[in-house]
């Protein structure tokens, strides 16, 4: 079975998910839809880490940037559900007492579910098909 078929079958069967532990709660995270990825990217795009930083100056950037990170991660965790803003806000409240390590582990758990490799694979395949179909006659 090729990778695309495996991804589709795992998604349909609900076997493609991850579990995140924040404080005393567990969250099940499913592969995000394009809409959810856009919501998260909107929050992540507001992170302001430009330039050269030392370990000490990065610590000074945490209060300014952590709300954007939490908002993006929360959007990925709740997914495309009804009242997603309210649910993401509740998850964000749990993240307020999380450590940097907890946030990093949550990101490392969610990142493989986004799976940009499959996007690249089907986009490249579609581009090749377009070249074949739209080949001009001489």
């Amino acid at each position: 079975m090729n990778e695309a078929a495996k991804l589709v079958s795992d998604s349909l069967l609900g076997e493609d998910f991850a579990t995140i532990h924040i404080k005393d709660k567990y969250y099940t995270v499913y592969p995000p839809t394009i809409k959810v990825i856009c919501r998260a990217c909107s929050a992540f795009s507001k992170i302001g880490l430009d330039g050269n930083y030392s370990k000490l100056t990065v610590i000074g950037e945490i209060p300014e940037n952590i709300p954007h990170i939490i908002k993006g991660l929360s959007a990925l965790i709740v997914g495309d559900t009804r009242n997603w803003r309210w649910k993401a806000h509740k998850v964000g409240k749990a993240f307020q007492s999380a450590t940097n390590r907890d946030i990093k582990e949550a990101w490392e758990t969610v990142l493989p579910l986004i799976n940009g490799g499959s996007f690249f694979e089907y986009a490249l395949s579609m581009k090749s098909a377009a070249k074949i179909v739209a080949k001009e006659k001489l």
Side-chain angles (χ1 to χ4, degrees):
M1 181 182 316
N2 69 15
E3 185 68 24
K6 183 176 178 351
L7 287 171
V8 170
S9 65
D10 286 349
S11 294
L12 290 174
L13 295 173
E15 295 175 359
D16 192 19
F17 64 90
T19 304
I20 294 176
H21 178 241
I22 305 168
K23 209 170 176 185
D24 295 332
K25 294 188 177 187
Y26 289 89
Y27 299 95
T28 302
V29 184
Y30 294 96
T33 62
I34 293 169
K35 185 187 332 183
V36 173
I37 293 170
C38 290
R39 289 175 186 161
C41 286
S42 174
F44 294 150
S45 69
K46 296 174 184 167
I47 296 172
L49 287 176
D50 300 321
N52 296 327
Y53 291 99
S54 67
K55 289 182 180 181
L56 189 58
T57 57
V58 167
I59 293 171
E61 296 290 331
I62 291 173
E64 183 179 314
N65 291 303
I66 203 71
H68 307 303
I69 294 169
I70 289 173
K71 189 173 182 179
L73 272 175
S74 299
L76 290 170
I77 290 170
V78 300
D80 192 20
T81 60
R82 192 168 186 214
N83 299 322
W84 70 269
R85 282 189 176 98
W86 179 77
K87 292 176 182 178
H89 180 72
K90 281 182 65 177
V91 172
K93 289 278 191 191
F95 269 119
Q96 293 296 330
S97 59
T99 65
N100 283 333
R101 178 173 288 179
D102 294 337
I103 293 171
K104 181 179 181 250
E105 288 174 4
W107 173 248
E108 289 173 349
T109 303
V110 169
L111 186 59
L113 295 175
I114 296 172
N115 197 0
S118 61
F119 167 76
F120 180 75
E121 184 179 318
Y122 73 73
L124 190 60
S125 175
M126 290 175 182
K127 184 176 178 178
S128 297
K131 285 182 181 179
I132 292 169
V133 172
K135 193 171 189 177
E136 107 181 46
K137 291 184 179 181
L138 297 174

